[in-house]
Amino acid sequence: MGAVNLQERMSEYRDRLTKSDRVLLDELLSNPAEAPLWRGGEVAQRAGVHPAAATRLAQRLGYQGYLELREDLREAHEARLNGAGDRFRAELRGQGQASVLDTLLTTELDSLAAVGKHVSQAQIDEVADLLVGARVVYLFARGNSGVLAELLDSRLRRFGMRPVNLVGPGREVAERVLAMSDSDVVVSFAFRRAPRGLTQLYAHACEVGARSVLVTDTLHTLDPAPTTVLSAPRGHQEGFSSLSVPMMIANAIVLTVAQRHPETILPALDRLDDLLNAFD
């Protein structure tokens, strides 16, 4: 196989994919151990789509046929075999005599330097303009990525905007998004797999006409799909993956908001300074 793997192909050709393609990909990616053994007709039957759909999916992703796609699935499964425990063991073995700090620094620098190959400033500009024009910005993240939503929540409030961080169980999320409208934007952070509630959130946003933005690494098969995807790899996928790359993307969005909309942001920051002085 070439240097371009399945995840990179999904990112590059995302706009080509049909609903049937996404159903197939979900079936394949949800069964990493079994999928490399399935024939095209078998996976199509499991997904409930036309028998030729697997071949068409492979061709849309730039493969000559389904066998090449299946080989990439096999390689991806071997790379992440046995989950997080073995990923950490592989990372530790790969360090050799190098210190943890040196190894992590090298990996992070390589990942950060590559972000521009996956996310463009034009995309960041589009997201920044969306946020400034929104009535409410709904933020969604779970687990370790929750810190990214907290970052945006804090920064946008300082800019005088109206973020709502969708924390808590599903019932509380449902109550907070009840007033969502087509004037709003959803910004979410999700990695490796979709957290509980994310697809339901996108479905509601789609129903009311709100725009949605996903910051991710390898998550490309959501249905309904977000309207904008900012996707960049986080380190070596078979090893430890930090939040440095999505944190940089989040900070780029914040700085771009300030740069492109000073007439809105600067007066809000001045008012905040006055309020802080008054409350202090």
Side-chain angles (χ1 to χ4, degrees), residues 178-194:
L178 179 62
M180 184 185 294
S181 73
D182 59 2
S183 299
D184 302 330
V185 175
V186 175
V187 179
S188 50
F189 299 88
F191 310 101
R192 295 192 188 276
R193 60 183 62 86

PDB file of all heavy atoms in Angstrom, residues 178-194:
ATOM      1  N   LEU A 178     -32.968  23.003  23.592  1.00  0.00           N
ATOM      2  CA  LEU A 178     -34.377  23.160  23.217  1.00  0.00           C
ATOM      3  C   LEU A 178     -34.600  24.431  22.397  1.00  0.00           C
ATOM      4  O   LEU A 178     -35.395  24.443  21.453  1.00  0.00           O
ATOM      5  CB  LEU A 178     -35.239  23.183  24.485  1.00  0.00           C
ATOM      6  CG  LEU A 178     -36.745  23.365  24.285  1.00  0.00           C
ATOM      7  CD1 LEU A 178     -37.318  22.205  23.480  1.00  0.00           C
ATOM      8  CD2 LEU A 178     -37.448  23.481  25.642  1.00  0.00           C
ATOM      9  N   ALA A 179     -33.903  25.522  22.759  1.00  0.00           N
ATOM     10  CA  ALA A 179     -34.098  26.808  22.084  1.00  0.00           C
ATOM     11  C   ALA A 179     -33.180  26.991  20.877  1.00  0.00           C
ATOM     12  O   ALA A 179     -33.148  28.080  20.291  1.00  0.00           O
ATOM     13  CB  ALA A 179     -33.878  27.949  23.083  1.00  0.00           C
ATOM     14  N   MET A 180     -32.448  25.977  20.470  1.00  0.00           N
ATOM     15  CA  MET A 180     -31.544  26.097  19.333  1.00  0.00           C
ATOM     16  C   MET A 180     -32.326  26.469  18.080  1.00  0.00           C
ATOM     17  O   MET A 180     -33.429  25.968  17.843  1.00  0.00           O
ATOM     18  CB  MET A 180     -30.790  24.786  19.114  1.00  0.00           C
ATOM     19  CG  MET A 180     -29.748  24.856  17.995  1.00  0.00           C
ATOM     20  SD  MET A 180     -28.969  23.238  17.672  1.00  0.00           S
ATOM     21  CE  MET A 180     -28.067  22.958  19.196  1.00  0.00           C
ATOM     22  N   SER A 181     -31.724  27.356  17.253  1.00  0.00           N
ATOM     23  CA  SER A 181     -32.388  27.796  16.027  1.00  0.00           C
ATOM     24  C   SER A 181     -31.385  27.850  14.888  1.00  0.00           C
ATOM     25  O   SER A 181     -30.188  27.552  15.064  1.00  0.00           O
ATOM     26  CB  SER A 181     -33.002  29.184  16.235  1.00  0.00           C
ATOM     27  OG  SER A 181     -31.990  30.179  16.273  1.00  0.00           O
ATOM     28  N   ASP A 182     -31.858  28.270  13.732  1.00  0.00           N
ATOM     29  CA  ASP A 182     -30.977  28.349  12.567  1.00  0.00           C
ATOM     30  C   ASP A 182     -30.004  29.513  12.648  1.00  0.00           C
ATOM     31  O   ASP A 182     -29.169  29.684  11.748  1.00  0.00           O
ATOM     32  CB  ASP A 182     -31.786  28.427  11.277  1.00  0.00           C
ATOM     33  CG  ASP A 182     -32.716  29.629  11.226  1.00  0.00           C
ATOM     34  OD1 ASP A 182     -32.722  30.435  12.182  1.00  0.00           O
ATOM     35  OD2 ASP A 182     -33.440  29.768  10.223  1.00  0.00           O
ATOM     36  N   SER A 183     -30.065  30.301  13.714  1.00  0.00           N
ATOM     37  CA  SER A 183     -29.101  31.379  13.933  1.00  0.00           C
ATOM     38  C   SER A 183     -27.930  30.922  14.792  1.00  0.00           C
ATOM     39  O   SER A 183     -27.045  31.739  15.110  1.00  0.00           O
ATOM     40  CB  SER A 183     -29.786  32.574  14.620  1.00  0.00           C
ATOM     41  OG  SER A 183     -30.833  33.086  13.820  1.00  0.00           O
ATOM     42  N   ASP A 184     -27.899  29.649  15.167  1.00  0.00           N
ATOM     43  CA  ASP A 184     -26.907  29.146  16.110  1.00  0.00           C
ATOM     44  C   ASP A 184     -25.884  28.259  15.421  1.00  0.00           C
ATOM     45  O   ASP A 184     -26.062  27.825  14.280  1.00  0.00           O
ATOM     46  CB  ASP A 184     -27.597  28.364  17.227  1.00  0.00           C
ATOM     47  CG  ASP A 184     -28.611  29.211  17.977  1.00  0.00           C
ATOM     48  OD1 ASP A 184     -28.404  30.438  18.055  1.00  0.00           O
ATOM     49  OD2 ASP A 184     -29.608  28.654  18.473  1.00  0.00           O
ATOM     50  N   VAL A 185     -24.795  27.977  16.158  1.00  0.00           N
ATOM     51  CA  VAL A 185     -23.724  27.109  15.670  1.00  0.00           C
ATOM     52  C   VAL A 185     -23.365  26.114  16.770  1.00  0.00           C
ATOM     53  O   VAL A 185     -23.308  26.482  17.944  1.00  0.00           O
ATOM     54  CB  VAL A 185     -22.467  27.924  15.276  1.00  0.00           C
ATOM     55  CG1 VAL A 185     -21.323  26.995  14.879  1.00  0.00           C
ATOM     56  CG2 VAL A 185     -22.775  28.881  14.140  1.00  0.00           C
ATOM     57  N   VAL A 186     -23.115  24.878  16.370  1.00  0.00           N
ATOM     58  CA  VAL A 186     -22.631  23.840  17.289  1.00  0.00           C
ATOM     59  C   VAL A 186     -21.160  23.581  16.981  1.00  0.00           C
ATOM     60  O   VAL A 186     -20.796  23.338  15.831  1.00  0.00           O
ATOM     61  CB  VAL A 186     -23.421  22.531  17.119  1.00  0.00           C
ATOM     62  CG1 VAL A 186     -22.824  21.425  17.991  1.00  0.00           C
ATOM     63  CG2 VAL A 186     -24.888  22.743  17.446  1.00  0.00           C
ATOM     64  N   VAL A 187     -20.296  23.651  18.008  1.00  0.00           N
ATOM     65  CA  VAL A 187     -18.880  23.305  17.861  1.00  0.00           C
ATOM     66  C   VAL A 187     -18.607  22.117  18.771  1.00  0.00           C
ATOM     67  O   VAL A 187     -18.855  22.178  19.980  1.00  0.00           O
ATOM     68  CB  VAL A 187     -17.954  24.476  18.238  1.00  0.00           C
ATOM     69  CG1 VAL A 187     -16.490  24.047  18.096  1.00  0.00           C
ATOM     70  CG2 VAL A 187     -18.238  25.687  17.367  1.00  0.00           C
ATOM     71  N   SER A 188     -18.097  21.044  18.208  1.00  0.00           N
ATOM     72  CA  SER A 188     -17.863  19.836  18.992  1.00  0.00           C
ATOM     73  C   SER A 188     -16.443  19.323  18.777  1.00  0.00           C
ATOM     74  O   SER A 188     -15.816  19.574  17.748  1.00  0.00           O
ATOM     75  CB  SER A 188     -18.873  18.747  18.615  1.00  0.00           C
ATOM     76  OG  SER A 188     -18.909  18.581  17.216  1.00  0.00           O
ATOM     77  N   PHE A 189     -15.968  18.591  19.780  1.00  0.00           N
ATOM     78  CA  PHE A 189     -14.652  17.961  19.743  1.00  0.00           C
ATOM     79  C   PHE A 189     -14.848  16.468  19.994  1.00  0.00           C
ATOM     80  O   PHE A 189     -15.440  16.081  21.007  1.00  0.00           O
ATOM     81  CB  PHE A 189     -13.736  18.545  20.819  1.00  0.00           C
ATOM     82  CG  PHE A 189     -13.478  20.011  20.676  1.00  0.00           C
ATOM     83  CD1 PHE A 189     -14.330  20.936  21.262  1.00  0.00           C
ATOM     84  CD2 PHE A 189     -12.383  20.475  19.963  1.00  0.00           C
ATOM     85  CE1 PHE A 189     -14.099  22.301  21.132  1.00  0.00           C
ATOM     86  CE2 PHE A 189     -12.139  21.839  19.833  1.00  0.00           C
ATOM     87  CZ  PHE A 189     -12.998  22.753  20.411  1.00  0.00           C
ATOM     88  N   ALA A 190     -14.369  15.623  19.080  1.00  0.00           N
ATOM     89  CA  ALA A 190     -14.517  14.179  19.247  1.00  0.00           C
ATOM     90  C   ALA A 190     -13.375  13.483  18.525  1.00  0.00           C
ATOM     91  O   ALA A 190     -13.017  13.872  17.407  1.00  0.00           O
ATOM     92  CB  ALA A 190     -15.861  13.705  18.713  1.00  0.00           C
ATOM     93  N   PHE A 191     -12.836  12.430  19.148  1.00  0.00           N
ATOM     94  CA  PHE A 191     -11.666  11.745  18.615  1.00  0.00           C
ATOM     95  C   PHE A 191     -11.830  10.235  18.711  1.00  0.00           C
ATOM     96  O   PHE A 191     -12.417   9.728  19.660  1.00  0.00           O
ATOM     97  CB  PHE A 191     -10.411  12.192  19.374  1.00  0.00           C
ATOM     98  CG  PHE A 191     -10.295  13.687  19.456  1.00  0.00           C
ATOM     99  CD1 PHE A 191     -10.654  14.351  20.614  1.00  0.00           C
ATOM    100  CD2 PHE A 191      -9.894  14.433  18.362  1.00  0.00           C
ATOM    101  CE1 PHE A 191     -10.582  15.739  20.695  1.00  0.00           C
ATOM    102  CE2 PHE A 191      -9.820  15.813  18.422  1.00  0.00           C
ATOM    103  CZ  PHE A 191     -10.162  16.467  19.589  1.00  0.00           C
ATOM    104  N   ARG A 192     -11.314   9.543  17.697  1.00  0.00           N
ATOM    105  CA  ARG A 192     -11.359   8.083  17.597  1.00  0.00           C
ATOM    106  C   ARG A 192     -12.778   7.556  17.361  1.00  0.00           C
ATOM    107  O   ARG A 192     -13.038   6.847  16.418  1.00  0.00           O
ATOM    108  CB  ARG A 192     -10.739   7.401  18.828  1.00  0.00           C
ATOM    109  CG  ARG A 192      -9.252   7.665  18.997  1.00  0.00           C
ATOM    110  CD  ARG A 192      -8.669   6.734  20.051  1.00  0.00           C
ATOM    111  NE  ARG A 192      -7.296   7.088  20.366  1.00  0.00           N
ATOM    112  CZ  ARG A 192      -6.232   6.697  19.679  1.00  0.00           C
ATOM    113  NH1 ARG A 192      -6.407   5.933  18.622  1.00  0.00           N
ATOM    114  NH2 ARG A 192      -5.022   7.065  20.032  1.00  0.00           N
ATOM    115  N   ARG A 193     -13.727   7.893  18.255  1.00  0.00           N
ATOM    116  CA  ARG A 193     -15.110   7.424  18.079  1.00  0.00           C
ATOM    117  C   ARG A 193     -16.065   8.492  18.611  1.00  0.00           C
ATOM    118  O   ARG A 193     -15.674   9.343  19.417  1.00  0.00           O
ATOM    119  CB  ARG A 193     -15.333   6.100  18.798  1.00  0.00           C
ATOM    120  CG  ARG A 193     -15.088   6.155  20.274  1.00  0.00           C
ATOM    121  CD  ARG A 193     -15.260   4.789  20.922  1.00  0.00           C
ATOM    122  NE  ARG A 193     -14.310   3.833  20.403  1.00  0.00           N
ATOM    123  CZ  ARG A 193     -13.075   3.693  20.887  1.00  0.00           C
ATOM    124  NH1 ARG A 193     -12.660   4.460  21.884  1.00  0.00           N
ATOM    125  NH2 ARG A 193     -12.257   2.815  20.378  1.00  0.00           N
ATOM    126  N   ALA A 194     -17.306   8.422  18.158  1.00  0.00           N
ATOM    127  CA  ALA A 194     -18.295   9.434  18.547  1.00  0.00           C
ATOM    128  C   ALA A 194     -18.753   9.200  19.983  1.00  0.00           C
ATOM    129  O   ALA A 194     -19.165   8.096  20.328  1.00  0.00           O
ATOM    130  CB  ALA A 194     -19.493   9.384  17.607  1.00  0.00           C
TER     131      ALA A 194
END
